[in-house]
Amino acid sequence: MSKRQLLLLSSSNFHGHEYLQFAKDWIVDFLKKNNADKVLFIPYASAKPNSYGEYTEKVRSAMKDWNLEVTGIHESPNPVEAVKQAKAIFIGGGNTFLLLKTLYEQHLVEEIRSRVLDHGVPYIGSSAGTNVATHSIHTTNDMPIALPPTFYALQLIPFNINPHYLDPIPDSKHQGETRAERIKEFHYLNSNPVLGLREGSALLIDDDNSATLIGHTPAVVFSRENSHAEFPVDSDLRFLFSK
Amino acid sequence: MSKRQLLLLSSSNFHGHEYLQFAKDWIVDFLKKNNADKVLFIPYASAKPNSYGEYTEKVRSAMKDWNLEVTGIHESPNPVEAVKQAKAIFIGGGNTFLLLKTLYEQHLVEEIRSRVLDHGVPYIGSSAGTNVATHSIHTTNDMPIALPPTFYALQLIPFNINPHYLDPIPDSKHQGETRAERIKEFHYLNSNPVLGLREGSALLIDDDNSATLIGHTPAVVFSRENSHAEFPVDSDLRFLFSK
């Protein structure tokens, strides 16, 4: 029996809102329910040199008014120990390839997995931080600026997510593949379902009891059998765990 | 002294044209100049199961009227030998990750490199086929549906290309990174210049004598120093070889 408590955001930014503000109530309620008022932030998705401090400060500043104390993992001399001690973990957006590479380099993949699945430490992911929480990063939208040892990720859930899911642009003259076509290509080689999570939405997972789509936009589920189905906000998506 | 003869297309499709037709004159002239009337087509970028035949037929059908004879590499019992015998090589579009993975699996990377650089076999690439011709696939737009052993590619040229280069969509509410922002992330970790090649354009490389932007749309060069500069059609881009 898993103890996982996950809040997986499509993005940190949502049109018309300041950084993370659209998700304030979700984050505050999620952490309160899990008795966590301290958050370990992992800024490894940031590709800009020496930017971990700046990125952590941005999160700290957003969460300060919510009475949450934020620590950057880079502030700790021992990242594995920081994860072991964490009351809650938040992995932010940026480049998914670089993020996963760094998680492996820092020997954090097994440790985070164990904390979340075996010990019930609440996990918040956003964009790249949501990608790495899933089965693999095969369905990221990011540019492959760095090569991780594998595309398999934290596997906190057994399916894939495509964050920032985007519908085809009507009347576009561009010949590049649509997001749906790319996910179809993924399914030629891989069998996991893919949850296309539009900006403004999130998946809230409470143990094995519920997996609820929350937010402002419906989501799409793509299955290998080439079907895709829209799900409105508040849908129960637990079926994704049994596929 | 290299003998390379390259025609690197941003895409096979260009709005308003049938498959490859917008590039007909370029391809015909390029192969004629290099005394090649036979083309070895490599369909490995196609992710759809059992689709190599169908994909090759599409290319064969387009080139038949141009008096070019097309052979699919999968029709040969020995792909390495097929490359050794090739009068011209064409690698088409699809998924760049899968393409590069398959080129390594089939032990073709060194062989193609040698044929093109040492023996002057003309090479045509389109989209994914253009990505793999460059220094690395770090600047592909594709979804990472398969993991190649490395992102380093055929290295027929010492810089990177971003095919299907796309300008930011005006007034977009989407929070995902723009293409230019993604290339900037690439430059945080890598130093090669990146040629952003818009659909409808190509880079034509004649030995060490010329590297000319041809086609219907200007191109953008991004350098690590964070500058980017537009170049009109007919520009000489040889400077990219010395950076």
Side-chain angles (χ1 to χ4, degrees), chain A residues 60-85:
Chain A
R60 188 175 277 142
S61 161
M63 293 192 171
K64 205 175 72 175
D65 295 340
W66 311 346
N67 292 315
L68 294 170
E69 190 186 318
V70 173
T71 312
I73 195 167
H74 64 288
E75 296 163 13
S76 165
N78 184 336
V80 172
E81 195 57 33
V83 167
K84 269 195 218 297
Q85 302 297 329

Side-chain angles (χ1 to χ4, degrees), chain B residues 20-48:
Chain B
L20 276 185
Q21 294 300 327
F22 82 100
K24 176 191 165 180
D25 290 350
W26 309 340
I27 293 172
V28 168
D29 291 353
F30 175 72
L31 292 178
K32 193 170 181 183
K33 192 185 70 180
N34 287 291
N35 301 310
D37 56 3
K38 292 188 173 64
V39 175
L40 178 70
F41 178 63
I42 301 184
Y44 294 157
S46 181
K48 193 178 163 190

Side-chain angles (χ1 to χ4, degrees), chain B residues 31-241:
Chain B
L31 292 178
K32 193 170 181 183
K33 192 185 70 180
N34 287 291
N35 301 310
D37 56 3
K38 292 188 173 64
V39 175
L40 178 70
F41 178 63
I42 301 184
Y44 294 157
S46 181
K48 193 178 163 190
N50 307 312
S51 62
Y52 290 168
E54 178 187 322
Y55 193 6
T56 302
E57 209 43 59
K58 190 173 167 183
V59 175
R60 187 176 278 142
S61 162
M63 293 193 170
K64 205 175 73 174
D65 295 340
W66 311 346
N67 293 316
L68 294 170
E69 189 186 320
V70 174
T71 311
I73 194 167
H74 64 290
E75 298 163 10
S76 164
N78 185 336
V80 172
E81 194 57 34
V83 166
K84 269 197 219 298
Q85 303 296 331
K87 303 296 178 205
I89 295 167
F90 173 31
I91 304 191
N95 188 279
T96 306
F97 294 88
L98 179 62
L99 168 58
L100 187 61
K101 180 172 189 269
T102 311
L103 289 174
Y104 276 108
E105 280 171 357
Q106 299 291 340
H107 309 289
L108 292 178
V109 172
E110 278 313 308
E111 193 56 45
I112 295 174
R113 209 174 131 73
S114 158
R115 295 311 298 169
V116 175
L117 295 184
D118 303 334
H119 300 271
V121 172
Y123 177 100
I124 303 171
S126 168
S127 192
T130 287
N131 265 314
V132 297
T134 74
H135 185 70
S136 75
I137 66 161
H138 284 108
T139 54
T140 175
N141 310 307
D142 292 342
M143 198 170 257
I145 62 171
L147 181 68
T150 164
F151 286 159
Y152 294 99
L154 294 171
Q155 308 203 347
L156 306 180
I157 54 176
F159 52 93
N160 277 58
I161 290 181
N162 178 250
H164 299 271
Y165 180 76
L166 202 57
D167 295 291
I169 296 159
D171 305 322
S172 171
K173 295 183 170 113
H174 192 69
Q175 306 290 320
E177 297 87 354
T178 65
R179 197 65 64 80
E181 286 166 349
R182 291 165 194 269
I183 294 170
K184 188 173 173 180
E185 281 191 354
F186 165 79
H187 274 140
Y188 285 139
L189 302 183
N190 305 274
S191 60
N192 305 319
V194 179
L195 175 64
L197 210 52
R198 293 183 179 90
E199 290 178 358
S201 289
L203 185 64
L204 179 64
I205 295 168
D206 177 5
D207 202 352
D208 293 329
N209 301 315
S210 66
T212 313
L213 178 67
I214 60 175
H216 304 279
T217 43
V220 203
V221 172
F222 295 86
S223 73
R224 190 179 202 176
E225 298 70 36
N226 209 6
S227 66
H228 57 102
E230 290 277 344
F231 289 86
V233 170
D234 294 333
S235 290
D236 180 349
L237 300 177
R238 255 178 307 177
F239 70 90
L240 288 169
F241 285 83

Side-chain angles (χ1 to χ4, degrees), chain A residues 11 13-16 45 47-49 94-95 97-98 127 137-151 162 164-166 169 172-177 179 182-183 185-190 199, chain B residues 11 13-16 45 47-49 94-95 97-98 127 137-151 162 164-166 169 172-177 179 182-183 185-190 199:
Chain A
S11 58
N13 289 298
F14 183 47
H15 179 68
K48 191 177 162 190
N95 187 279
F97 295 88
L98 180 62
S127 192
I137 66 162
H138 283 108
T139 54
T140 175
N141 311 306
D142 292 342
M143 196 170 259
I145 62 172
L147 181 69
T150 164
F151 286 159
N162 178 249
H164 298 270
Y165 181 77
L166 202 58
I169 296 159
S172 172
K173 297 184 169 113
H174 192 69
Q175 306 290 323
E177 297 88 352
R179 196 65 65 79
R182 292 164 193 269
I183 294 170
E185 282 190 352
F186 165 79
H187 274 141
Y188 285 139
L189 302 183
N190 305 273
E199 292 179 358
Chain B
S11 59
N13 289 297
F14 183 46
H15 178 68
K48 193 178 163 190
N95 188 279
F97 294 88
L98 179 62
S127 192
I137 66 161
H138 284 108
T139 54
T140 175
N141 310 307
D142 292 342
M143 198 170 257
I145 62 171
L147 181 68
T150 164
F151 286 159
N162 178 250
H164 299 271
Y165 180 76
L166 202 57
I169 296 159
S172 171
K173 295 183 170 113
H174 192 69
Q175 306 290 320
E177 297 87 354
R179 197 65 64 80
R182 291 165 194 269
I183 294 170
E185 281 191 354
F186 165 79
H187 274 140
Y188 285 139
L189 302 183
N190 305 274
E199 290 178 358

